[in-house]
Amino acid sequence: MPNTAIQKGETLVEVNNLVKYFPVRAGLLQRVINHVKAVDDVSFIVRKGETLGMVGESGCGKTTVGRTMLRLVEPTSGAVKFNGNDVFTMKAADLKATRRDMQIIFQDPYASLDPRLPIGESVMEGLHIHKVGTRRERVDIMLETLKKVGLEDYHARRYPHEFSGGQRQRIGIARALALRPQFIVCDEPVSALDVSIQSQVLNILKDLQSEFGLTYLFIAHNLSVVEHVSDRVAVMYLGKMVELTTREELFRNPLHPYTKALMSAIPVPNPRLRRDRVILKGDVPSPLNPPRGCRFHPRCPVAIEKCSQEEPQFKELTPEHWVACWVAEQNAQ
């Protein structure tokens, strides 16, 4: 049964009860002895033309959500609908056609490009696969796309090792943009870049979104970056979504204790001001054996007895503000 965390509005991507477990094998026969619960029953939507930010600690399942949505990783269960069509049940030909409209910008600009190909060929690869136009038309599209991200025609003949990290990430953006998709998963596209370059790449993404009407799932660690680019923000913890609301509401009134802890770590650009830091105790539990009840309760500073016994439901406590927390639900009553 689909989660009720689906909002009203013009929906481009709808994720229902997404689950992805990775098997852990051991022994001579490599039998499955356990599962890493990377994503465990996650539901949300992405509306046309918006940027949905997704944040959380390393290992919380953000990247797995993005890759599973595109079927770069096969799901364990659940459904992802793109323009009303279920991506997980598509046959090969339909999936190939849909992937033209669903692209990804990878986190590592060094590893995501083929070192043996000139970057012009890398950008045109999707055009070749989908048989877009003639060879001359593909070259024209490639050169036009490189200019959109701030590169010149002569760059097309160069190899990845001849570019800086920021330039390589621009190439990754150009490759995702070449097919003129509707939806792009941005998997931490600026985390590997210098701070001075991050703003340039973010501005390119925002300009391209305005020009082409793109829709983004923006995965990041940096809450300041998420605040700058996102319309709505989803917070994940240990494979679960714990909070989802608009950017303004999340930064003005975070309800989940985990979100409050993340917010308290954002640096203040004023040496005379200090935030009241929320220091979380202990380490993130293992996704091999997540805690019973609320997965955050072993580290939560305001946990009650119910938190360790029952898993909270993802509920809309205020308009368009969804939270999975017994304490927040209690305070809202």
Side-chain angles (χ1 to χ4, degrees):
M1 181 176 178
N3 192 304
T4 53
I6 303 302
Q7 315 281 328
K8 294 180 180 179
E10 196 172 6
T11 301
L12 181 66
V13 185
E14 181 178 323
V15 178
N16 283 318
N17 307 104
L18 181 63
V19 175
K20 177 58 187 175
Y21 292 172
F22 292 97
V24 177
R25 301 177 185 274
L28 187 64
L29 300 178
Q30 290 294 289
R31 290 192 176 95
V32 176
I33 59 169
N34 206 339
H35 287 87
V36 175
K37 299 174 176 64
V39 179
D40 199 358
D41 194 19
V42 168
S43 299
F44 61 93
I45 66 163
V46 188
R47 297 170 180 148
K48 289 183 180 179
E50 80 164 347
T51 300
L52 175 65
M54 185 170 283
V55 299
E57 291 172 283
S58 295
C60 70
K62 307 183 300 295
T63 294
T64 304
V65 167
R67 294 189 177 211
T68 308
M69 287 170 66
L70 304 182
R71 266 185 78 179
L72 298 178
V73 175
E74 289 295 325
T76 301
S77 65
V80 171
K81 293 183 179 179
F82 179 76
N83 278 328
N85 300 312
D86 192 341
V87 176
F88 294 165
T89 59
M90 286 180 180
K91 295 185 178 178
D94 295 330
L95 181 61
K96 180 180 176 181
T98 300
R99 278 184 168 155
R100 180 173 175 174
D101 290 323
M102 302 176 76
Q103 292 290 306
I104 185 169
I105 300 168
F106 293 99
Q107 176 180 357
D108 189 347
Y110 298 90
S112 61
L113 294 172
D114 189 335
R116 299 166 298 177
L117 282 182
I119 64 104
E121 291 297 324
S122 290
V123 172
M124 285 195 295
E125 197 166 11
L127 301 174
H128 290 314
I129 291 170
H130 291 278
K131 297 180 173 58
V132 176
T134 63
R135 170 72 187 183
R136 182 66 253 174
E137 288 170 339
R138 293 169 193 164
V139 171
D140 290 342
I141 292 171
M142 178 267 292
L143 294 175
E144 180 190 355
T145 306
L146 287 180
K147 287 182 179 177
K148 294 288 185 188
V149 298
L151 297 174
E152 300 298 332
D153 292 1
Y154 62 84
H155 286 130
R157 298 185 294 274
R158 295 185 178 178
Y159 289 82
H161 72 271
E162 299 179 76
F163 295 92
S164 67
Q167 288 175 318
R168 291 184 203 187
Q169 196 60 287
R170 292 180 190 217
I171 295 164
I173 294 170
R175 183 174 55 183
L177 187 67
L179 287 164
R180 300 297 185 263
Q182 297 178 49
F183 175 62
I184 299 179
V185 173
C186 305
D187 184 11
E188 303 193 39
V190 297
S191 64
L193 307 179
D194 293 337
V195 174
S196 59
I197 305 299
Q198 288 184 10
S199 61
Q200 297 176 19
V201 173
L202 291 173
N203 288 334
I204 287 171
L205 289 171
K206 286 183 76 75
D207 291 343
L208 293 173
Q209 184 175 37
S210 300
E211 184 174 352
F212 295 103
L214 299 172
T215 303
Y216 294 143
L217 174 66
F218 194 93
I219 298 167
H221 284 107
N222 191 327
L223 278 164
S224 298
V225 170
V226 169
E227 184 180 14
H228 177 66
V229 301
S230 301
D231 298 298
R232 292 186 300 138
V233 182
V235 182
M236 287 192 66
Y237 182 80
L238 205 63
K240 291 278 190 181
M241 193 170 287
V242 297
E243 190 159 3
L244 172 64
T245 187
T246 62
R247 173 191 60 195
E248 295 83 2
E249 176 68 9
L250 188 83
F251 284 85
R252 183 184 64 84
N253 182 33
L255 297 181
H256 198 282
Y258 177 61
T259 309
K260 292 178 181 178
L262 292 179
M263 295 290 186
S264 74
I266 301 175
V268 180
N270 186 334
R272 294 195 177 98
L273 295 179
R274 285 195 169 189
R275 292 186 190 272
D276 293 329
R277 285 294 310 273
V278 178
I279 306 298
L280 299 178
K281 298 179 181 178
D283 296 320
V284 180
S286 170
L288 283 167
N289 185 26
R292 184 186 172 200
C294 174
R295 297 190 175 186
F296 184 60
H297 87 263
R299 306 174 71 198
C300 182
V302 295
I304 57 177
E305 186 178 353
K306 190 176 184 180
C307 299
S308 62
Q309 298 171 350
E310 297 180 47
E311 183 177 326
Q313 298 300 307
F314 200 48
K315 290 185 177 180
E316 188 178 25
L317 298 188
T318 59
E320 286 216 29
H321 198 152
W322 299 79
V323 186
C325 177
W326 292 121
V327 175
E329 190 176 335
Q330 191 178 77
N331 292 339
Q333 292 174 352

